């Protein structure tokens, strides 16, 4: 019979070995372990579940979600990537009560003598995040490259030789339709970043085109996704199985990411201790050291997820996360409604 410690490891840790990974599957379902009550209990879930915000700024958010299963964590990640329907603060609700992002959908090329083909140029324009309320808008972009008459004759620097030789998103000009100029103040409708390089030109080359922006969601195309990245990883758990002292302590610290293993002076001896396992990327470099590989156990906490969300800039990441939670709640409500409808039939 498996010991209590071994059962707890099976239930709560994903163990990384030298040649493989153990305990990758969730096993805490009812009846699997004698003496454990793994039936669903809402009070127990509410007691164990928590969300801790670790870092947040205007473009990125890192938070811990503890006490959930991998299926829920992955559903949350997929919703962030493909199903969060966002616009700007002043929104116009669609049939689902949510709002998509804006992106360039159609490009009318009047003149393009640059080295970039029309199709590639249109694709690059479509990936530019637009800070706009999701109605139909038009953007105009007309840039012509000319020589700088004041450039030094012996100069070879394109930035000095040419004028408008780099086409940036700042060259995109919003064309108001109808009374949109009255509804939206100047500067409201714009690309999120004005320094995205679209193409490079040389004297005589010109780009003149008209862009139509439409609304959409990440499931339609990646350009509509409101997040640049949304990922999660399990919390690292590093345990020293025996004391590591002297030069071996220094060797051990070199096997991990900076800040994970700390070397301290204890009674005149160097002693290694685990300082911050969260910083480790689990390269498993320690398993290449014959003297140290049996002194460390590498694992991950099964129900502790470290989420990283980076916004494209259309909306702050905390708003994206709250919208993803609403989408997940809506899915749950629809599923319960369908169950009730089946029972009634």
């Amino acid at each position: 019979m498996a010991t209590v410690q071994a059962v707890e490891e099976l239930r709560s840790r994903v163990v990384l070995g030298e040649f493989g990974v153990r305990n990758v599957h969730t096993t805490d379902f009812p009846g699997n372990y004698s003496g454990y009550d793994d039936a669903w209990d809402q009070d127990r879930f509410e007691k164990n579940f928590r969300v801790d915000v670790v870092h947040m700024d205007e473009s990125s958010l890192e938070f811990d979600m503890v006490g959930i299963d991998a299926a829920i964590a992955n559903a949350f990640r997929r919703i962030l990537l493909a199903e969060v329907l966002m616009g700007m603060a002043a929104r116009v609700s669609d049939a689902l009560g949510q709002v998509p992002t804006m992106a360039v959908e159609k490009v009318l090329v009047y003149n393009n003598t640059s080295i970039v083909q029309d199709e590639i140029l249109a694709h690059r324009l479509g990936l530019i995040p637009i800070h706009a309320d999701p109605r139909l808008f038009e953007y105009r972009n007309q840039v012509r490259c000319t020589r700088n008459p004041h450039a030094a004759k012996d100069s070879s620097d394109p930035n000095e030789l040419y004028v408008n030789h780099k086409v940036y998103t700042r060259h995109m000009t919003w064309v108001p339709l109808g009374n949109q100029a009255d509804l939206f103040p100047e500067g409201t409708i714009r690309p999120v970043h004005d320094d995205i390089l679209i193409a490079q030109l040389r004297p005589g080359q010109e780009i003149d085109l008209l862009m139509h922006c439409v609304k959409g969601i990440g499931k339609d195309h990646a350009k509509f996704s409101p997040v640049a990245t949304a990922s999660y990883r399990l919390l690292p758990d590093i345990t020293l199985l025996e004391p590591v002292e002297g030069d071996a302590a220094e060797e051990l610290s070199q096997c991990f990411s900076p800040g994970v293993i700390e070397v301290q002076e204890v009674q005149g001896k160097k002693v290694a201790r685990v300082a911050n396992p969260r910083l480790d990327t689990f390269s498993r470099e320690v398993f290449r050291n014959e003297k140290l590989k049996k002194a460390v156990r590498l694992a991950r906490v099964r129900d502790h997820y470290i989420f990283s969300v980076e916004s494209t800039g259309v909306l702050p990441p905390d708003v994206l996360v709250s919208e993803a939670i609403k989408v997940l709640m809506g899915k749950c409500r629809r599923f319960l409604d369908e169950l009730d409808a089946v029972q009634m039939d």
Side-chain angles (χ1 to χ4, degrees):
M1 180 180 293
T3 64
V4 175
Q5 183 178 359
V7 172
E8 283 299 326
E9 181 178 287
L10 282 171
R11 291 166 55 85
S12 62
R13 295 294 186 271
V14 178
V15 180
L16 286 81
E18 184 177 3
F19 301 108
V21 183
R22 306 195 309 271
N23 308 341
V24 295
H25 301 293
T26 301
T27 57
D28 55 346
F29 48 85
N32 195 41
Y33 296 104
S34 176
Y36 287 89
D37 180 18
D38 287 320
W40 166 256
D41 183 82
Q42 183 172 346
D43 293 335
R44 183 169 56 196
F45 172 78
E46 292 178 356
K47 179 181 178 181
N48 296 330
F49 177 75
R50 73 176 194 271
V51 176
D52 301 324
V53 177
V54 177
H55 169 77
M56 183 174 65
D57 55 36
E58 60 182 10
S59 63
S60 63
L61 172 65
E62 181 179 328
F63 63 94
D64 292 358
M65 190 176 288
V66 185
I68 59 172
D69 189 76
I72 304 299
N74 195 47
F76 188 71
R77 180 190 67 86
R78 291 173 64 91
I79 289 172
L80 276 169
L81 289 173
E83 296 186 58
V84 174
L85 309 162
M86 299 302 303
M88 55 182 289
R91 306 180 198 157
V92 180
S93 298
D94 63 357
L96 293 176
Q98 297 164 318
V99 182
T101 55
M102 296 289 295
V104 174
E105 177 71 11
K106 296 181 180 180
V107 179
L108 308 178
V109 180
Y110 297 126
N111 189 15
N112 177 22
T113 56
S114 71
I115 196 173
V116 184
Q117 298 94 332
D118 292 354
E119 295 83 359
I120 303 300
L121 182 60
H123 182 264
R124 290 178 62 82
L125 293 171
L127 295 178
I128 296 173
I130 305 296
H131 190 283
D133 197 10
R135 292 190 178 95
L136 179 63
F137 289 101
E138 289 188 357
Y139 275 86
R140 187 66 184 261
N141 191 352
Q142 183 175 6
V143 181
R144 182 179 180 85
C145 179
T146 58
R147 289 189 178 274
N148 182 8
H150 305 293
K153 293 183 178 180
D154 58 346
S155 176
S156 60
D157 183 7
N159 294 318
E160 184 179 354
L161 288 173
Y162 312 123
V163 178
N164 286 336
H165 78 287
K166 290 185 177 180
V167 183
Y168 290 99
T169 46
R170 69 174 69 99
H171 294 114
M172 296 171 59
T173 305
W174 173 48
V175 180
L177 300 178
N179 65 339
Q180 289 178 345
D182 300 327
L183 296 175
F184 304 102
E186 184 178 355
T188 302
I189 312 302
R190 54 179 173 76
V192 173
H193 307 286
D194 63 0
D195 58 350
I196 300 176
L197 181 63
I198 300 174
Q200 295 193 50
L201 305 177
R202 287 298 179 263
Q205 294 182 348
E206 180 182 2
I207 293 178
D208 183 9
L209 48 83
L210 183 69
M211 294 163 278
H212 288 196
C213 296
V214 300
K215 59 184 179 180
I217 62 175
K219 287 195 296 186
D220 300 332
H221 194 281
K223 66 184 179 183
F224 294 114
S225 179
V227 295
T229 59
S231 62
Y232 65 80
R233 60 189 178 99
L234 293 175
L235 177 70
D237 179 36
I238 302 173
T239 306
L240 298 182
L241 304 178
E242 59 186 54
V244 181
E245 301 173 347
D247 294 338
E250 294 287 354
E251 290 183 38
L252 183 65
S253 66
Q254 296 300 318
C255 294
F256 293 89
S257 302
V260 176
I261 301 296
E262 183 181 59
V263 179
Q264 296 179 328
E265 288 281 346
V266 179
Q267 297 179 353
K269 295 188 298 184
K270 294 180 179 179
V271 179
R273 76 172 189 90
V274 180
N276 190 356
R278 183 189 185 93
L279 301 176
D280 195 37
T281 58
F282 275 167
S283 64
R284 294 191 278 187
E285 179 71 17
V286 67
F287 291 128
R288 301 178 64 179
N289 191 312
E290 293 294 330
K291 297 183 298 181
L292 298 175
K293 65 181 183 181
K294 294 183 179 180
V296 182
R297 188 198 70 164
L298 304 182
R300 291 186 181 272
V301 182
R302 184 185 299 279
D303 65 346
H304 191 135
Y305 296 88
I306 302 174
F307 272 87
S308 297
V309 180
E310 182 180 346
S311 171
T312 59
V314 176
L315 274 181
D318 57 317
V319 177
L320 297 177
V321 171
S322 64
E323 290 294 325
I325 294 173
K326 294 177 184 177
V327 173
L328 185 57
M329 292 172 61
K331 288 176 176 285
C332 295
R333 292 193 192 97
R334 287 195 295 273
F335 179 68
L336 292 175
D337 292 341
E338 291 181 4
L339 288 180
D340 293 339
V342 171
Q343 291 174 359
M344 293 178 61
D345 293 342

